[in-house]
């Protein structure tokens, strides 16, 4: 018997029991929808996290100093000599403290103030919305100037133009010289709520010269490793061979850590969704078994009229394939829509990839085949005489 | 020998039910020639249906020999037996055995689907056969929209679909009133006159008498072979 005939029989049987067929397909629909939506959202958020991390700059190296015994930090001179290298383009030690910022009657408590030098802007790729960032001359002259993050500027000044105005940080006067562009929150951190002042000004302002954090820009992505090795050996000398006294991290390290976490998460989500597909498959098997019993007599008649085993087998397998395939197609449509809706709600690009769609569809068809074979085989092996006598 | 369609030698069929054995057929010898019209009669439980199922290649014997058209059926595979049922044998059952979800036309097309007859040819032949049994107007009706006699006529049209040599009818009039019954018998006799070999099982002596030969069977054995004199 040709496949077309088997398909016609399958469609007729599915249509003759619409409610039951729909409920059977629902298992597969939910399974495929879940796989597509979860995998797409997983991939979408991975992409967005990755691009956030990449936006930190692939040349970036961060050094954190934890210290060893009495020496818990670096001096400014120890930090800045790290720049004597062919692999390092820029370096900015950072000292941070927390202050109350005031302009007129407006004040912001617990604001982070970072002391940075003129290199910091290029290292962190900082965008200035108005005015300018900290310049080397500000640092050399220990100028009492400040650059405000966008949120801080809005809270202190409202609609007034802050450039050139004097604000008080813990009571000391600073002149505002620049405002940063709004960055929004991101995994790489945001400067929207921070204030920047020259590093050397910070020494006096915070009465603190201990360097615990250094941002470094390698000359190119290819020299990051060399630069790290060099920094490592210099710091090892300073800390007398104690590798635990400091930590050197670059962007690719963060990326691979985050990626391995998100990959595991995506796999987990996909796996859970896959289980629901499997459950859908069991639903198909269940209904196919019922269907075989209900149609015992029909099978007997078909056999008496000359149907071979393989004709009956084909008829039932195609029926379960049609159920799972239709369920798969509906699941793709629902899953696609759901991914787009959830993606736009979460502000990520969760458009399902072609491979996600193809894999989940093939999986649903394979599930249909796998769970259809047993009932179909049962039908094909029915004894015609007993089947004909079945009431 | 060329003329013999069915040759049965020493055929037995034993059903085992736990410890018990039922000898449904017990040493049957029977020859049926091409073009014959034979009726098989006997009490309930005498083994008529069992014999018909074996002749129709639906069931297999326990021992003995059965040649259909010179072919030893015990040497055939499942698929070859299915082919025989498809092309050489037409079944007519007491309870019609039509597929309820299909129209009369589709029911008649069914054996041709399994034989691989192309769609158009299939449709034409099914229409022709239904017209022959007088159901041209009812072609697109489902079995539950037809009377018993009409359903049995659909079943006869279906039995003829692949133009088989042998028509096997197991009490074809058993579920019908006498008027529909005699209509069915009229069609069956016509088939025989056109050259089909017919084996008819019945309880009814009047119906049996319409055949050209009567085989009486009791407790799985043939009692007598009686030629009906017209
Ligand atoms: N599947 C089976 N298992 C066990 N015994 C069976 C089976 N089929 C038939 N028999 C027995 O074989 C014997 C012959 O049965 P069969 O159906 O051939 O009788 P029959 O002549 O067709 O009867 P009826 O006129 O009532 O249709 C009976 O004793 C029956 O009980
Ligand atoms: Mg019987």
């Amino acid at each position: 018997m040709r496949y077309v005939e088997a398909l016609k029989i399958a469609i007729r049987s599915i249509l003759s029991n619409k409610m039951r067929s729909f409920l059977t397909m629902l298992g597969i629909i939910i399974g495929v929808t879940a796989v597509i939506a979860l995998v797409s959202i997983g991939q979408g958020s991975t992409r967005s996290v990755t691009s956030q991390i990449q936006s930190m700059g692939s040349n970036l190296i961060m050094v954190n100093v934890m210290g060893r015994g009495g020496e818990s930090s670096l001096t400014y001179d120890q930090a800045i000599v790290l720049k004597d290298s062919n692999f390092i383009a820029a370096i900015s030690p950072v000292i941070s403290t927390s202050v109350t910022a005031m302009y007129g009657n407006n004040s912001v408590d617990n604001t982070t103030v970072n002391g940075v030098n003129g290199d910091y802007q290029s290292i962190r790729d900082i965008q200035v919305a108005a005015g300018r960032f900290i310049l080397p001359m500000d640092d050399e002259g220990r100028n009492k100037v400040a650059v405000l993050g966008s949120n801080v500027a809005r809270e202190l000044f409202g609609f007034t133009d802050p450039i050139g105005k004097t604000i008080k940080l813990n009571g000391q006067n600073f002149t505002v010289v620049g405002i940063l562009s709004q960055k929004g929150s991101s995994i790489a951190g945001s400067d929207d709520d921070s204030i920047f002042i020259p590093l050397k000004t910070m020494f006096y302002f915070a009465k603190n010269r201990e360097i615990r954090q250094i941002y470094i820009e390698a000359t190119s992505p290819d020299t990051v490793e060399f630069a790290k090795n060099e920094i490592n050996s210099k710091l090892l000398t300073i800390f007398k061979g104690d590798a635990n006294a400091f930590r050197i991290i670059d962007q690719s390290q963060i990326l691979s850590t985050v990626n391995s976490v998100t990959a595991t998460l995506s796999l987990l989500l996909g796996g859970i969704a896959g289980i629901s597909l499997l459950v859908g498959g069991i639903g198909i098997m269940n209904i196919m078994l019922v269907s075989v019993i209900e149609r015992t007599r029909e099978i007997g008649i078909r056999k008496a009229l000359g149907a071979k085993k393989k004709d009956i087998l084909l008829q039932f397998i195609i029926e379960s394939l049609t159920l799972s395939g239709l369920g798969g197609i509906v699941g793709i449509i629902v899953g696609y829509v759901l991914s787009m809706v959830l993606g736009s709600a979460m502000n990520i690009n969760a458009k399902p990839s072609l491979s996600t769609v193809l894999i989940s569809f093939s999986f649903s068809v394979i599930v249909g085949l796998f769970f259809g074979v047993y009932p179909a085989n049962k039908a094909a092996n029915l004894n015609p005489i007993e089947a004909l006598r079945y009431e | 020998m060329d003329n013999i369609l069915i040759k049965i030698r020493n055929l037995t069929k034993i059903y085992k039910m736990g410890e018990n054995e039922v000898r449904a057929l017990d040493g049957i010898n029977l020859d049926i020639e091409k073009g014959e019209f034979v009726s098989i009669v006997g009490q309930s439980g005498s083994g008529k249906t069992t014999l018909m199922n074996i002749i129709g290649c639906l069931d297999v014997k326990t021992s003995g020999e059965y040649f259909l058209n010179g072919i030893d059926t015990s040497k055939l595979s499942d698929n070859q037996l299915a082919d025989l049922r498809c092309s050489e044998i037409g079944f007519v059952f007491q309870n019609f055995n039509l597929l309820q979800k299909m129209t009369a036309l589709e029911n008649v097309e069914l054996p041709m689907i399994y034989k691989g007859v192309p769609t158009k040819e299939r449709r034409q032949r099914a229409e022709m056969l239904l017209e022959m049994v007088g159901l041209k107007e009812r072609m697109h009706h489902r079995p539950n929209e037809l009377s018993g006699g009409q359903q049995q006529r659909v079943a006869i049209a279906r039995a003829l679909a692949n133009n088989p040599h042998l028509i096997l009818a197991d009490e074809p009039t058993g579920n019908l009133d006498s008027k529909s019954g005699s209509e069915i018998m009229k069609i069956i006799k016509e088939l025989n006159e056109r050259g089909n070999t017919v084996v008819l099982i019945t309880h009814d002596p009047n119906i049996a008498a319409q055949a050209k030969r009567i085989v009486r069977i009791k407790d799985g054995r043939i009692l007598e072979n009686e030629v009906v004199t017209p």
Side-chain angles (χ1 to χ4, degrees):
Chain A
M1 186 173 57
R2 282 159 303 174
Y3 294 88
V4 189
E5 299 297 338
L7 190 64
K8 275 190 207 160
I9 297 172
I11 288 171
R12 179 189 289 263
S13 142
I14 288 168
L15 288 181
S16 74
N17 235 322
K18 290 192 191 68
M19 189 60 183
R20 183 158 102 185
S21 305
F22 172 71
L23 290 175
T24 310
M25 278 193 289
L26 202 56
I28 296 289
I29 293 174
I30 292 173
V32 172
T33 301
V35 169
I36 290 187
L38 290 179
V39 170
S40 301
I41 286 166
Q43 286 175 341
S45 38
T46 304
R47 271 195 301 272
S48 107
V49 166
T50 302
S51 75
Q52 279 173 20
I53 293 171
Q54 277 166 346
S55 75
M56 288 163 68
S58 51
N59 300 356
L60 181 68
I61 299 169
M62 287 175 282
V63 177
N64 288 309
V65 178
M66 283 80 76
R68 168 183 179 277
E71 289 186 76
S72 66
S73 61
L74 295 175
T75 64
Y76 177 76
D77 292 333
Q78 281 174 322
I80 211 76
V81 292
L82 292 175
K83 195 174 181 177
D84 296 340
S85 157
N86 292 330
F87 309 125
I88 293 176
I91 179 166
S92 173
V94 178
I95 294 178
S96 300
T97 185
S98 186
V99 303
T100 301
M102 283 181 72
Y103 175 73
N105 290 329
N106 298 345
S107 75
V108 187
D109 289 333
N110 277 326
T111 306
T112 305
V113 177
N114 299 305
V116 301
N117 68 17
D119 279 0
Y120 190 83
Q121 183 174 16
S122 84
I123 296 171
R124 297 300 313 274
D125 193 22
I126 283 179
Q127 307 294 322
V128 175
R132 60 175 175 81
F133 196 71
I134 307 291
L135 296 178
M137 68 167 194
D138 294 321
D139 199 31
E140 286 314 313
R142 292 153 176 75
N143 293 343
K144 296 181 86 175
V145 294
V147 176
L148 307 184
S150 57
N151 288 348
V152 179
R154 189 165 355 94
E155 282 173 57
L156 286 181
F157 289 94
F159 293 107
T160 321
D161 179 13
I163 305 290
K165 303 282 189 316
T166 302
I167 58 170
K168 282 191 185 339
L169 302 181
N170 282 358
Q172 298 193 31
N173 287 337
F174 280 78
T175 309
V176 177
V177 293
I179 309 293
L180 302 184
S181 310
Q182 177 99 28
K183 252 183 131 178
S185 64
S186 96
I187 189 159
S190 164
D191 293 326
D192 292 349
D193 293 306
S194 306
I195 298 173
F196 292 90
I197 63 173
L199 177 64
K200 287 180 179 165
T201 311
M202 182 62 120
F203 291 163
Y204 297 97
F205 176 72
K207 300 183 179 62
N208 176 12
R209 290 164 181 271
E210 296 179 349
I211 309 293
R212 290 201 174 81
Q213 199 178 24
I214 310 169
Y215 282 83
I216 296 165
E217 186 183 353
T219 48
S220 80
D222 303 328
T223 55
V224 167
E225 276 309 307
F226 299 120
K228 278 171 66 183
N229 285 339
E230 225 177 67
I231 296 164
N232 190 49
S233 59
K234 284 180 185 170
L235 292 180
L236 278 178
T237 320
I238 294 173
F239 290 106
K240 305 188 174 59
D242 185 354
N244 290 327
F246 55 90
R247 201 166 52 203
I248 306 170
I249 314 160
D250 67 302
Q251 182 243 148
S252 70
Q253 251 172 307
I254 302 174
L255 200 60
S256 71
T257 312
V258 172
N259 275 351
S260 78
V261 172
T262 51
T264 316
L265 259 174
S266 299
L267 210 67
L268 205 73
L269 289 178
I272 291 169
I275 289 173
S276 69
L277 244 181
L278 217 61
V279 173
I282 295 170
I284 287 192
M285 174 141 112
N286 192 14
I287 283 303
M288 293 301 295
L289 281 173
V290 172
S291 174
V292 167
I293 290 169
E294 279 179 355
R295 285 149 74 186
T296 300
R297 199 179 175 83
E298 171 192 330
I299 295 163
I301 295 172
R302 288 179 184 276
K303 284 195 158 184
L305 298 180
K308 298 190 174 77
K309 259 187 196 179
K310 71 164 200 284
D311 295 322
I312 305 291
L313 197 71
L314 202 66
Q315 173 185 339
F316 281 90
I317 285 183
I318 287 195
E319 183 167 337
S320 86
L321 279 181
T322 310
L323 277 174
S324 64
L326 280 179
I329 290 171
V330 176
I332 287 173
I333 295 168
V334 180
Y336 195 95
V337 172
L338 193 68
S339 307
M340 298 309 265
V341 169
L342 288 179
S344 74
M346 293 165 66
N347 216 353
I348 56 172
N349 172 18
K351 185 169 184 268
S353 65
L354 186 65
S355 63
T356 309
V357 169
L358 288 182
I359 289 173
S360 54
F361 180 72
S362 345
F363 194 54
S364 71
V365 172
I366 290 170
V367 160
L369 186 67
F370 182 79
F371 288 104
V373 164
Y374 175 70
N377 210 40
K378 211 171 152 155
N381 284 319
L382 280 178
N383 176 321
I385 307 271
E386 276 162 32
L388 275 174
R389 208 181 289 151
Y390 185 87
E391 284 306 326
Chain B
M1 285 301 272
D2 202 18
N3 215 20
I4 291 189
L5 184 63
I6 292 169
K7 183 171 136 187
I8 290 171
R9 290 289 174 274
N10 232 344
L11 189 88
T12 61
K13 175 74 183 178
I14 299 169
Y15 291 107
K16 284 211 169 69
M17 321 264 293
E19 292 291 286
N20 294 344
E21 279 193 350
V22 180
R23 289 189 157 256
L25 296 176
D26 191 7
I28 299 276
N29 289 297
L30 182 64
D31 286 345
I32 296 177
E33 288 180 15
K34 283 179 186 159
E36 264 200 283
F37 183 178
V38 178
S39 61
I40 297 177
V41 292
Q43 287 173 345
S44 187
S46 56
K48 306 183 293 292
T49 298
T50 307
L51 181 59
M52 192 194 91
N53 285 340
I54 291 175
I55 293 176
C57 298
L58 272 175
D59 205 353
V60 286
K61 61 194 165 27
T62 306
S63 68
E65 289 176 315
Y66 168 35
F67 293 88
L68 178 64
N69 213 358
I71 302 163
D72 184 354
T73 54
S74 60
K75 297 217 161 68
L76 298 180
S77 68
D78 272 4
N79 278 345
Q80 286 168 319
L81 290 173
D83 278 336
L84 268 185
R85 291 199 292 273
C86 192
S87 340
E88 297 293 331
I89 298 159
F91 287 98
V92 180
F93 300 95
Q94 177 173 0
N95 52 2
F96 324 132
N97 275 339
L98 298 173
L99 294 190
Q100 297 300 319
K101 284 175 186 163
M102 295 188 168
T103 63
L105 191 68
E106 288 165 334
N107 265 289
V108 178
E109 281 185 60
L110 205 54
M112 294 188 268
I113 289 178
Y114 290 120
K115 201 177 176 183
V117 178
T119 316
K120 211 173 150 211
E121 195 185 324
R122 209 160 74 198
R123 171 81 20 125
Q124 279 171 355
R125 180 158 171 83
E127 284 173 2
M128 187 271 279
L129 287 167
L130 282 168
E131 193 176 345
M132 195 187 92
V133 296
L135 285 177
K136 190 171 193 271
E137 316 299 314
R138 297 295 165 98
M139 232 152 38
H140 299 293
H141 288 240
R142 294 191 176 194
N144 60 7
E145 299 159 354
L146 299 172
S147 75
Q150 287 169 332
Q151 290 186 53
Q152 195 59 298
R153 280 188 269 163
V154 174
I156 291 175
R158 184 180 65 183
L160 296 172
N162 289 327
N163 201 12
H165 285 115
L166 180 61
I167 303 290
L168 297 177
D170 190 353
E171 312 212 25
T173 59
N175 281 6
L176 302 176
D177 60 69
S178 58
K179 182 167 168 285
S180 316
S182 54
E183 275 169 23
I184 293 297
M185 281 312 296
K186 198 169 149 252
I187 296 174
I188 289 177
K189 275 192 282 185
E190 274 170 25
L191 290 180
N192 177 245
E193 275 152 28
R194 292 210 221 154
N196 284 101
T197 311
V198 177
V199 177
L200 175 88
I201 289 173
T202 183
H203 276 117
D204 188 334
N206 295 327
I207 288 183
Q210 297 179 44
K212 292 175 185 156
R213 176 152 70 108
I214 300 174
V215 174
R216 289 184 200 284
I217 159 169
K218 191 185 179 201
D219 296 334
R221 292 167 174 276
I222 291 183
L223 278 186
E224 58 178 315
N225 244 318
E226 165 192 338
V227 177
V228 179
T229 38

